[in-house]
Amino acid sequence: MKPIEPAELSGYLDGELEPDRIREVEAALAIDPVLRADYHVLADADRTWKSAAHIAAFLPNTQLRPVWSWSLTRSPSAIAAILVLLVVLRITPKLGDFVAWGLIVHAAALAVVLPWVVRMVQEDQSSL
Amino acid sequence: MIEEEQYGRLLEPLLRQAAGYARSILRDRHQAEDAVQQAALRGLERIRTFDETRAFKGWWFAILRNCCIDMLRDPGSAKMVSMEYIDPPAAVPNDTSDWEVLSASMLLLSVEHREILRLRYFADLSYRELAEALSIPQGTVMSRLHSARNALALKMRKEK
């Protein structure tokens, strides 16, 4: 029988070993008091963690709303872009028609595109 | 390819553990709920690129982990509240002392050890799912988890 590696005690505790290896670990635990003591230390910590996980868990209120609504309502950049649009609309009466419409179109495009650009940059930074 | 409806079905059984996992990182119930919501939507955005040969649970918890990290980085949303202030449910009063010892011991662990222990216990990930969530080989999972457990047991003995 191959000697039991210390890390295999964790694999045994988690039920992640192959059936043959489980039998070998159990046989070793039955005859080796040091290995058994090590296993009990792991098992005690395991119980504590499971208890903590049980305490912490709760059912959250989660909804799969459309993605765009989250971006537009929660993104500060969307609010900033809309403000830019409002400012442009306010100053355009003082400008010529061509310049005014050019500014409005650009500001509208900015209001639509900016939130998505910012969102993409944020996702890149925290990508998987 | 997984569609939106199927994504919802896959996600639903994970939500309770997801909230507990996020709560263990953010230490705040409301922030944990926000993180789960964000991760649910971020996962939905990416579901069409999900490779079905990968472990869905591990893949999604990696997204949740990133959402929690983003929230911790945002000084406006992060709250430095100790785990002791999360009231344990009245139904499990005997677990309170364990909770406090664990909380104190966890702070002394390395980030790597904390991360794998949280994913193993709060998220209940298997070794395959842990490998997926942490982007490490499956063979590394067992040894890292074992060393994290030993480190935790040592710290807990000192705390007690």
Side-chain angles (χ1 to χ4, degrees):
Chain A
M1 181 180 84
K2 203 174 85 177
I4 306 297
E5 296 289 329
E8 284 181 299
L9 288 179
S10 274
Y12 174 71
L13 187 68
D14 295 323
E16 293 272 356
L17 297 183
E18 296 296 322
D20 286 349
R21 197 59 179 159
I22 289 174
R23 280 190 286 277
E24 288 173 358
V25 170
E26 283 173 348
L29 284 172
I31 57 167
D32 185 341
V34 176
L35 196 67
R36 203 161 50 238
D38 288 347
Y39 176 73
H40 285 311
V41 169
L42 291 178
D44 281 348
D46 186 67
R47 271 191 294 276
T48 305
W49 272 100
K50 282 179 176 161
S51 153
H54 173 73
I55 292 168
F58 67 97
L59 193 62
N61 179 22
T62 308
Q63 291 172 357
L64 294 178
R65 290 170 298 179
V67 172
W68 61 268
S69 70
W70 179 88
S71 281
L72 289 179
T73 54
R74 300 280 297 265
S75 171
S77 58
I79 296 165
I82 290 165
L83 285 176
V84 168
L85 180 62
L86 290 175
V87 170
V88 168
L89 286 172
R90 179 92 180 149
I91 62 169
T92 46
K94 297 166 190 165
L95 304 169
D97 276 356
F98 183 74
V99 178
W101 278 109
L103 271 177
I104 290 170
V105 169
H106 278 89
L110 186 68
V112 172
V113 169
L114 189 60
W116 294 102
V117 172
V118 170
R119 188 82 203 283
M120 276 190 284
V121 171
Q122 285 172 342
E123 277 179 9
D124 276 352
Q125 285 170 348
S126 61
S127 60
L128 291 175
Chain B
M1 189 194 300
I2 295 179
E3 297 296 334
E4 184 176 330
E5 196 181 326
Q6 197 184 350
Y7 171 73
R9 278 201 300 271
L10 288 170
L11 194 60
E12 201 181 343
L14 310 183
L15 291 176
R16 210 179 133 75
Q17 287 162 340
Y21 170 70
R23 191 181 188 183
S24 76
I25 296 174
L26 298 166
R27 302 169 188 179
D28 180 272
R29 187 185 169 105
H30 298 294
Q31 282 199 323
E33 199 159 38
D34 281 352
V36 173
Q37 175 67 62
Q38 276 186 32
L41 293 175
R42 207 178 277 187
L44 180 62
E45 285 172 6
R46 297 175 184 179
I47 194 61
R48 284 172 191 277
T49 60
F50 171 68
D51 172 3
E52 287 181 66
T53 61
R54 294 162 70 186
F56 175 81
K57 192 175 176 183
W59 173 81
W60 189 78
F61 267 89
I63 294 176
L64 176 59
R65 190 175 111 239
N66 284 334
C67 287
C68 291
I69 291 168
D70 288 348
M71 289 180 78
L72 283 175
R73 279 186 193 146
D74 177 1
S77 66
K79 283 183 186 172
M80 295 308 290
V81 181
S82 169
M83 270 174 86
E84 291 94 310
Y85 296 123
I86 304 171
D87 294 331
V92 281
N94 294 335
D95 295 340
T96 311
S97 61
D98 278 350
W99 176 261
E100 285 166 2
V101 172
L102 180 70
S103 167
S105 309
M106 255 174 67
L107 295 175
L108 303 171
L109 293 180
S110 70
V111 173
E112 201 175 66
H113 285 167
R114 261 199 305 246
E115 197 166 55
I116 197 165
L117 286 169
R118 276 185 182 134
L119 283 168
R120 173 73 192 113
Y121 287 105
F122 290 92
D124 194 28
L125 298 193
S126 68
Y127 284 13
R128 178 172 171 252
E129 291 160 345
L130 283 168
E132 175 69 44
L134 296 170
S135 301
I136 56 175
Q138 210 168 319
T140 309
V141 169
M142 190 159 71
S143 55
R144 187 180 294 183
L145 195 52
H146 185 70
S147 101
R149 277 176 167 144
N150 276 336
L152 178 75
L154 193 68
K155 306 285 184 201
M156 285 181 76
R157 251 177 290 171
K158 282 183 186 166
E159 284 295 319
K160 278 179 179 171

